[in-house]
Amino acid sequence: MNKKEVARILEEIGQILELKGENPFKVRSYYNAARVIMNLDENLNDLVEEDRLQDIKGIGDALSQKIKELVETGKSGYYEKLKCSIPKGLMEMLTIPSLGPRKIKILYDKLNITNIGELEYFCKENRLIALEGFGVKSQRKILEGIQFKKKYEKRHLLPAAEGDAHYIISELENLDGVIRIKLAGSLRRRLETIKDIDVIIAAESGKESLIMEKYCGLKRVEKVVAHGETKSSIVLDSGIASDLRVVSRQEYPYALHYFTGSKAHNIEMRKVAKEFQYKLNEYGLFKGEENIPCNDEEELYNSLGLQFIPPELREAIGEIEAARENNLPSLVELKDIRGVFHIHSNYSDGINSLEEIIIRCQELGYEYVSVCDHSKSANYANGLSEARVLQQHQEIEGLQEKYPGIRILKGIEADILPDGCLDYNDSLLAKFEIVIGSIHSRLKMTEEEALERIVKAMKNPYLTMIGHPTGRLLLAREPYPLDINKFIEAAAKYGKMIELNANPHRLDLDWRGCKYARECGVLVSINPDAHSLEGLSDTRYGVEIARKGWLTPRDIMNTRTKSELMTLLNLE
Ligand code: DGT
Ligand code: CA
Ligand code: ZN
């Protein structure tokens, strides 16, 4: 190992020790040593060979041993062991500008944040604002730092990919020679995370290369990976990659279909084509040498005896059989949503007041709304004590009189405690009209423990629904190990609803589970889990995932009219 590498590891040891809250003198000795080694005039190898390390000011016996080991073997047992003693994600958090070990230790100790994904989520929930040593400004700086880092991630959440896709489309759609342009790939299928933005253009012949040139020369292009006649690949300044394919008007429906995927769906479609003794690929649908003409994807599906399959459903989970029997579901749309539950106000960790939320929901045309703040055990989120619940109920009653056009339901997001109990006693729970039960703490559970904990909560007669049932944070935190099918079966048994948390970091219940919930007759509630007025628009992502999960308006709780909802919940 050379000077630079040794110095880096000494520095890292210092950081880990600081993260662990070790003696500051010890911490500083490693930082010092790193600096000294880095600035050595002499050759480090010579110093080691001649056993002269400990003569250097600031390097004692223990340190010189470790440096010797590093120089001679390229490794340090001490360092390896130390690295294993903290969550891996903490070191990664050090790569965010404005975050040092001391601050990361606070985040870990106080909020149990162990990686960048969790940190981003907590910032967006404003959990850092009230944290000692942090505040609005540092929370914003950290978020900016995370955005910067995200440039280098491989998969992306829907909102980021969507914003960039919009940029690309708007730059290209009005170009001379562009007949049609559309997104393909996972983004068109509304998958919860996206690797790259696939774009298909039908172009007039002779105009292809100009279109390609414009694409590769877009202002926001950071890197051109490939520049071809019919296909180019770029990386945008956000770090998100994109592929463009330019095809002829005739090829367009087939290319769009092929590049929309999924791969598994395409494979099944080729099998269907074979039954007709056709051949299907990205260039056409062929009977022998002859192409069967299709103007659009709908005609392509129809030519194979199938109903048009919406892109969201193309995941090879039964859509082709259903389309053959003309039995595809009539998918829910955003306009079907008549009200929302699970919004956080400034009583807990949201930004806005009850009244601001109610006014906005009325503007959105909702018939009902339920603010569901955090419950008392959720100290990290300023959860509501019994007294504050009553205070909030009083305010709601006043607001209900002031805003008779929208029904305000008294709601709560009650923590499901480790033993499966909800976070308040029955007499208080009885005062709520909506009770969402969510797991927020003690996420380390076995599959049996997780199911048992949630089922116990579902047995509580006051519980309306289970919130974000797996606790996952996309690209950041794995779900706790919940057997989703058993969970859904239990919800059916106890007559409980399941939340589809529409926050694009969660999208939990997953769409794969939505389909099974529908089959079991369990109602899904599309909840924004908003912490600000802007957050209300996340409902849209929930609707998209519900569509991907085969849900129709009737499968969703908050498409009910106000009076239907009152009946469903046994309310006035
Ligand atoms: P991702 O990972 O988020 O980019 O997901 P996709 O589905 O967008 O995957 P991508 O970009 O690799 O490819 C776009 C579509 O192209 C894919 O959904 C189906 C089609 N495709 C790509 N490779 C193959 C293949 O080897 N066989 C078939 N049948 N289709 C493919
Ligand atoms: Ca893709
Ligand atoms: Zn929650």
Side-chain angles (χ1 to χ4, degrees), residues 161-176 178 180-183 187 197-201 211 214-215 218-220 234 236 242 244:
E162 198 175 51
D164 285 359
H166 183 79
Y167 162 74
I168 294 173
I169 300 269
S170 64
E171 290 289 320
L172 300 182
E173 65 187 347
N174 296 319
L175 287 184
D176 188 33
V178 172
R180 288 197 205 168
I181 178 166
K182 228 176 168 62
L183 290 175
L187 195 48
I197 299 165
D198 299 289
V199 183
I200 312 289
I201 285 179
I211 295 169
K214 171 79 184 182
Y215 176 73
L218 285 174
K219 242 200 219 114
R220 286 191 46 204
I234 57 172
L236 293 175
S242 169
L244 170 66

Side-chain angles (χ1 to χ4, degrees), residues 342 374 413 438 440 468 506 529:
H342 201 170
H374 285 285
E413 181 183 18
S438 303
H440 290 120
H468 45 72
R506 290 192 182 270
D529 193 0

Side-chain angles (χ1 to χ4, degrees), residues 19 35 47 66 140 186 204 262 283 286 359 385 540:
L19 272 173
R35 211 175 32 246
L47 281 172
K66 283 169 193 127
R140 199 188 53 232
S186 49
E204 285 164 21
S262 66
Y283 308 107
F286 301 96
I359 290 171
S385 65
R540 179 167 71 86

Side-chain angles (χ1 to χ4, degrees), residues 279-337:
K279 201 179 107 194
L280 176 64
N281 58 29
E282 66 226 78
Y283 308 107
L285 177 63
F286 301 96
K287 186 178 182 182
E289 294 295 295
E290 176 202 350
N291 186 29
I292 296 164
C294 298
N295 283 310
D296 52 29
E297 279 185 327
E298 178 151 15
E299 289 186 17
L300 170 56
Y301 280 103
N302 295 165
S303 304
L304 294 172
L306 302 172
Q307 231 182 322
F308 172 74
I309 301 179
E312 298 96 316
L313 299 188
R314 301 181 194 171
E315 298 290 350
I317 53 169
E319 70 276 12
I320 289 181
E321 294 76 1
R324 210 194 303 262
E325 289 152 20
N326 223 5
N327 205 13
L328 285 173
S330 304
L331 302 178
V332 62
E333 293 174 38
L334 186 58
K335 66 173 170 49
D336 298 320
I337 299 295

